[in-house]
Amino acid sequence: MQLKHIIFVSLFSFMPLFAMAEQQEPAKSEQTTEQKSEQETSNPAQEKSSSTQTKKSNQPLPIKELDLQKQDLKHYLSKERISPLLVGPTEYVTLIKNYSSANSKGVAILLPDWQQGATNPKAINYLANTLPEHGWTTITIQPDNKPDNYPSIAINTTEQKKANEEIISTYKNDFSLLIKAVMAKAKEYPGIVIIVSQGMHSTLLIDMFSQENSEPANALILLSSYFDTSAEFAFEENKRFAHQLAMSEYPVLDLFLKNDHPKAITYAKQRKSITEQEMKVYYRQRQLNNTVTGYYPEVELLSQIHSWLRAVGW
């Protein structure tokens, strides 16, 4: 009798636990249902975000600055002035304006600095439109832009120098092919060939003409020229440029501005000193007064070029 009573009491004590378990099971099932519904409602958002990312990845990349410059030239200038020039697989844009005077003196090749357009107003565009009135056919080049990874930002100085040399060597190869193609084009016209070069491209021209297999122009006019590199190598590279210039045999007019790039002013003095030491003939250097940094005074620029050409004999 006592055993039965104990069993009965035990069963009676476990009944609330069974009831609580039954109550919790529906709650769990309800919670699971809610979670499933939340996951179902969140899936469209995830699908939307993934589709957006797919659309973004399919968007075209920005057009390169050089391509934009070429498109602008073709769009805004007359077709008569534009002359595409194929150099290997690369097509360059050149602007040609024939002389409009009674007599032809020759061809003036106008080479802007890298990062500058063929119609930049600092000096090149003025000369391209004015020199034809004085007997010069002008061929203006739209060159390649500065390499994206130049100058090198490597931590080690030795690595920087090696990387810079490799980058400039690659750029110089394409640049040399371009200049040779333009020189060949210029020889289709009567008269002498002079080159008006700006900035970093002047140093590459001097280096190119110093090679034995390269035929230089009849004369070279430099505008605000200096070797553009990191501060650690600027003095060394510009000194090498000055020595190559001093040893050249063709006439050189070296112009820079009172308000110019600091390196253009500093290394112009270095070039003059070295050319005087080497007693280079037909070398003239002049500093022009200007009000806006980097912009050449138009009348004074043309006057300096004319007087120098007359002194040389042209």
Side-chain angles (χ1 to χ4, degrees), residues 37-53:
S37 62
E38 289 177 357
Q39 291 177 356
E40 290 175 356
T41 55
S42 64
N43 284 338
Q46 292 176 356
E47 292 176 358
K48 186 177 180 180
S49 63
S50 62
S51 62
T52 304
Q53 291 176 356

Side-chain angles (χ1 to χ4, degrees), residues 219-221 251-253 284 304-312:
L220 187 60
I221 300 173
V252 175
L253 174 62
R284 177 187 293 182
Q304 288 291 340
I305 292 175
H306 279 323
S307 63
W308 176 73
L309 289 174
R310 284 195 297 268
V312 174

Side-chain angles (χ1 to χ4, degrees), residues 27-44 46:
K28 285 183 179 180
S29 62
E30 290 176 2
Q31 186 178 6
T32 305
T33 306
E34 291 177 357
Q35 291 175 351
K36 288 181 179 180
S37 62
E38 289 177 357
Q39 291 177 356
E40 290 175 356
T41 55
S42 64
N43 284 338
Q46 292 176 356

Side-chain angles (χ1 to χ4, degrees), residues 38 44 158 198 212 222 256 266 299:
E38 289 177 357
T158 305
Q198 196 176 29
E212 294 181 358
L222 309 181
F256 66 105
T266 300
V299 176

